Amino acid sequence: MTEPTQHFYQSQRLRLSYWAWGAADAPPLILMHGGRDHARSWDRIAEAFQDEYHVVACDLRGHGDSEWATGSLYGITEHMLDLVALLEVVGRPAR
């Protein structure tokens, strides 16, 4: 079992964190946690899929190792914009 690697990306002037498992050239599989959680809650699921996919689990804004958006919103719209930025970093359509 391979340990995940932590990466950071920018979205809406925030430094957001994600963890990656598996080969970078494998098809991407994006995992997003719910409220009051963090990316590493996906560890067991990510480990199960890392042989077939490049698994990416993100820390939503204000969660895990991602920055807080002081004076900003934490709604679905903001999270979706962050997801679009993450998909641009991954570089290809995800499953």
Side-chain angles (χ1 to χ4, degrees), residues 38-56:
H38 55 86
R40 295 304 300 268
S41 66
W42 288 106
D43 281 6
R44 286 189 165 177
I45 301 298
E47 290 167 1
F49 285 97
Q50 72 181 345
D51 292 338
E52 297 176 47
Y53 296 97
H54 177 64
V55 182
V56 173

Side-chain angles (χ1 to χ4, degrees), residues 7-92:
H7 306 270
F8 293 91
Y9 69 106
Q10 293 288 319
S11 176
Q12 303 176 66
R13 295 184 294 241
L14 294 177
R15 184 176 186 247
L16 304 179
S17 169
Y18 71 92
W19 293 83
W21 293 256
D25 59 348
L29 173 65
I30 307 294
L31 304 174
M32 292 184 71
H33 63 80
R36 299 184 182 171
D37 215 339
H38 55 86
R40 295 304 300 268
S41 66
W42 288 106
D43 281 6
R44 286 189 165 177
I45 301 298
E47 290 167 1
F49 285 97
Q50 72 181 345
D51 292 338
E52 297 176 47
Y53 296 97
H54 177 64
V55 182
V56 173
C58 60
D59 280 324
L60 296 175
R61 57 178 52 214
H63 295 78
D65 292 328
S66 289
E67 280 187 319
W68 285 87
T70 305
S72 186
L73 300 172
Y74 287 84
I76 296 294
T77 302
E78 289 74 30
H79 292 310
M80 291 308 298
L81 292 171
D82 295 342
L83 176 60
V84 168
L86 178 60
L87 289 171
E88 290 174 0
V89 169
V90 171
R92 55 187 184 264

